[in-house]
Amino acid sequence: MTINFVLNGEPRSETSISPTRTVLEYLREDEGLTGTKEGCAEGDCGACSIVMVRNGSGKVEAVNSCLLTMGQLDGTRLATVEGLSDKGGELEAVQGAIVDEDGTQCGFCTPGFVMALHAFRHSGESVSDEAIHDALAGNLCRCTGYRSIVAAAHAAMSGNVEEAALTTFAEPSATELYEAQGQSFLSPQSLDALIAARVEHPGAPLLSGGTDLGLSFSKDRAAFPVTIFTQNVVELKRIEEDDAAIILGAAVTYSEALARIEELFPSFAVLIHRIGSRQIRNVGTFGGNIGNASPIGDTPPCLIALDTALTLHGPKGARDIQLEDFFLDYRKTDLAGDEVIASLTIPKLGPDQNFRSYKVSKRYDQDISAVVGAFRLTISDGLVTEARIAFGGMAATPKRAPRCEAALVGQPWSEESAARAGAAVADDFQPIDDHRATADYRVRVAANLFVRLHRDLEGADDIEVTSL
Ligand SMILES: Cc1cc2nc3c(=O)[nH]c(=O)nc-3n(C[C@H](O)[C@H](O)[C@H](O)COP(=O)(O)OP(=O)(O)OC[C@H]3O[C@@H](n4cnc5c(N)ncnc54)[C@H](O)[C@@H]3O)c2cc1C
Ligand code: FES
Ligand code: FES
């Protein structure tokens, strides 16, 4: 296999580069494209942003090149800040607007902002301050101040959108194995081939979007002998739906699923909008968020409250497991070494069911949660007939809250019953202190989420659901 991609309009076929070299290192050190900057090397600052188009999707998306590996590039088109304008030195619209609006001082962050806004300009979204802030939430500027950058964003969004360096198509490699520098990078295209790779290489890491695993390459300089990439497995990319449920393949990215989730579970969509930044959501996947088994992953508590089932696949075929039974202990799951998470089945809400999820973190955007609370309540004629409540950040795994649930079921849905359920948080969880929050804060804020839930479901007008 070669790694075939197009960089700033020029086809590339790499045969000897390490498949786990970061794209940022490749751009700066091998290609001399030093307009792409390294700030944090862990997905937080956006200085390394480039835009990528995956074959099939046609969508122009901003991604962090510091967390992207060379093996992930096969069949993609990339543009860096150097490749935006093909008009003989004339600035591209965003670049010009940044100059006109004084949107740069030291300039270190500027290429990253330009690339994030270039992707936004191609997204076809309607332009508003909120949408611009969302598009820029993954980019940090330390000296200009954001007002002039946002003004530049508004100015750049008018006028025709040119295609710049992203028109040339990249023919993906026909084979599924890339080998170079003593490393193998497997890119299976079917579930069977993925399982075969799992069986042949026990212990080899699965790489999906790489927004977790990518840190091993960018920070720890890991060079795994074998890496198994899941993004080209057709079965893992499906989004299907019937009357009862939506099924998401494990390798579906947040950005790919967001539009449907917004319609089915608006409150969950608000929370997903707060996972990292656009650059993270464009590649980060549901399977990765579950597979890393973090106690503070944002989607597992929501998915548990929604009664999600996982389908795992291994050499003996498929098996289903409820997500709440999947997490066994801190970073331990029920996944066997030769299995993969293939898909998630999320039941749709019934007529009397209400779902809300809340993320508590120090910053609104681009922050890891202290606590996530997720609530699915069935309320019939004012009475709570069923409650599924789950929290993240309160225990070694994302977990249901049985005593909180018991305090609600059979009770009228009222401020008092919500407060009683909140008081039961302390019986369900004994969280720990860490640098994000103390144990005491976690218990108190989780209890307070019941007050918020009650006000929210009662339609209190001082609660704006879209900004929770
Ligand atoms: C800057 C930054 C901000 C972030 N913000 C948030 C946040 O706000 N909330 C949050 O929850 N997370 C956050 N994350 C973490 C991360 O983005 C998410 O966990 C994401 O969903 C991981 O998905 P991925 O596809 O990138 O996983 P990868 O990094 O590719 O993989 C993660 C783990 O899952 C395993 N895995 C992947 N696919 C499968 C599969 N099909 N079967 C079994 N195992 C599998 C991998 O082997 C690996 O162990 C952030 C990360 C960064 C770098
Ligand atoms: S260098 Fe900071 S996000 Fe990549
Ligand atoms: S212009 Fe200096 S960091 Fe943004």
Side-chain angles (χ1 to χ4, degrees):
M1 170 179 157
T2 50
I3 302 171
N4 296 338
F5 59 100
V6 173
L7 175 60
N8 292 335
E10 305 268 329
R12 294 278 192 278
S13 271
E14 293 293 340
T15 54
S16 58
I17 196 163
S18 158
T20 56
R21 183 165 174 74
T22 70
V23 172
L24 177 60
E25 287 171 333
Y26 166 79
L27 291 173
R28 291 180 58 83
E29 293 167 18
D30 301 1
E31 291 283 342
L33 295 172
T34 51
T36 307
K37 304 297 182 201
E38 176 166 340
C40 62
E42 55 186 34
D44 278 317
C45 74
C48 67
S49 299
I50 59 173
V51 298
M52 178 165 91
V53 179
R54 279 176 266 214
N55 273 355
S57 93
K59 280 182 68 185
V60 178
E61 295 179 309
V63 295
N64 292 317
S65 61
C66 65
L67 296 181
L68 201 62
T69 59
M70 291 304 293
Q72 290 170 260
L73 291 190
D74 189 42
T76 63
R77 288 170 271 168
L78 305 181
T80 67
V81 72
E82 292 89 350
L84 287 190
S85 176
D86 56 1
K87 295 185 211 147
E90 200 179 303
L91 294 181
E92 177 264 3
V94 178
Q95 293 172 312
I98 293 264
V99 173
D100 293 344
E101 298 289 339
D102 297 323
T104 180
Q105 281 193 54
C106 81
F108 187 81
C109 70
T110 308
F113 274 93
V114 167
M115 299 315 287
L117 287 174
H118 183 79
F120 179 62
R121 197 161 175 265
H122 283 76
S123 69
E125 278 171 75
S126 45
V127 180
S128 63
D129 271 351
E130 195 183 355
I132 290 171
H133 291 162
D134 187 68
L136 295 181
N139 293 77
L140 292 179
C141 176
R142 285 176 190 262
C143 52
T144 300
Y146 296 97
R147 190 205 50 76
S148 54
I149 297 175
V150 172
H154 275 288
M157 295 310 144
S158 52
N160 293 334
V161 177
E162 72 295 337
E163 283 298 321
L166 292 163
T167 45
T168 316
F169 185 72
E171 192 64 49
S173 185
T175 52
E176 300 183 352
L177 170 65
Y178 174 86
E179 288 179 297
Q181 305 204 7
Q183 291 179 276
S184 301
F185 190 86
L186 285 82
S187 181
Q189 296 180 12
S190 68
L191 194 48
D192 285 348
L194 174 62
I195 301 303
R198 255 328 227 169
V199 171
E200 195 182 342
H201 303 285
L206 292 171
L207 173 67
S208 190
T211 59
D212 265 321
L213 200 63
L215 293 168
S216 326
F217 308 121
S218 69
K219 285 286 184 191
D220 304 340
R221 308 274 156 194
F224 301 124
V226 182
T227 306
I228 305 172
F229 184 45
T230 63
Q231 276 292 315
N232 291 322
V233 178
V234 180
E235 294 92 329
L236 266 56
K237 293 296 291 179
R238 71 198 174 116
I239 301 181
E240 285 168 9
E241 204 173 323
D242 59 24
D243 288 346
I246 178 163
I247 300 171
L248 300 178
V252 169
T253 66
Y254 298 118
S255 297
E256 285 164 343
L258 207 45
R260 227 20 229 131
I261 302 247
E262 241 151 33
E263 284 175 34
L264 294 172
F265 315 108
S267 166
F268 189 18
V270 171
L271 185 137
I272 290 176
H273 263 293
R274 295 180 56 194
I275 295 183
S277 58
R278 275 196 189 193
Q279 285 92 326
I280 296 293
R281 294 191 296 275
N282 286 339
V283 285
T285 62
F286 289 87
N289 207 220
I290 295 167
N292 74 20
S294 163
I296 48 168
D298 280 343
T299 68
C302 307
L303 294 167
I304 289 173
L306 285 167
D307 204 8
T308 299
L310 298 183
T311 300
L312 311 179
H313 262 269
K316 294 188 201 121
R319 70 180 171 109
D320 292 341
I321 181 169
Q322 290 306 115
L323 180 57
E324 64 180 288
D325 301 326
F326 180 71
F327 299 111
L328 302 178
D329 204 343
Y330 180 70
R331 301 267 183 194
K332 280 209 184 99
T333 70
D334 194 48
L335 191 77
D338 53 8
E339 287 182 318
V340 298
I341 305 166
S343 62
L344 301 63
T345 302
I346 314 173
K348 292 183 179 173
L349 295 179
D352 292 335
Q353 284 181 335
N354 304 272
F355 177 76
R356 291 290 188 278
S357 54
Y358 306 110
K359 169 169 174 165
V360 179
S361 57
K362 288 183 181 161
R363 290 189 309 261
Y364 184 81
D365 289 305
Q366 184 70 306
D367 202 3
I368 304 288
S369 305
V371 171
V372 165
F375 308 82
R376 193 187 75 177
L377 300 188
T378 310
I379 305 173
S380 307
D381 298 327
L383 213 64
V384 181
T385 56
E386 196 221 5
R388 287 186 66 90
I389 298 168
F391 284 95
M394 297 292 289
T397 62
K399 254 192 152 120
R400 277 179 82 176
R403 293 177 185 85
C404 298
E405 292 174 358
L408 279 178
V409 174
Q411 300 297 314
W413 177 234
S414 63
E415 207 175 329
E416 293 70 36
S417 61
R420 275 198 302 278
V425 165
D427 303 325
D428 275 328
F429 297 102
Q430 290 77 48
I432 55 163
D433 292 330
D434 66 15
H435 61 279
R436 275 181 208 99
T438 62
D440 181 49
Y441 173 79
R442 286 188 152 101
V443 169
R444 278 202 279 160
V445 85
N448 286 344
L449 289 182
F450 284 84
V451 179
R452 186 170 173 177
L453 174 70
H454 182 261
R455 293 176 63 77
D456 189 3
L457 291 186
E458 293 305 296
D461 56 12
D462 57 348
I463 296 217
E464 202 184 323
V465 175
T466 51
S467 62
L468 287 173

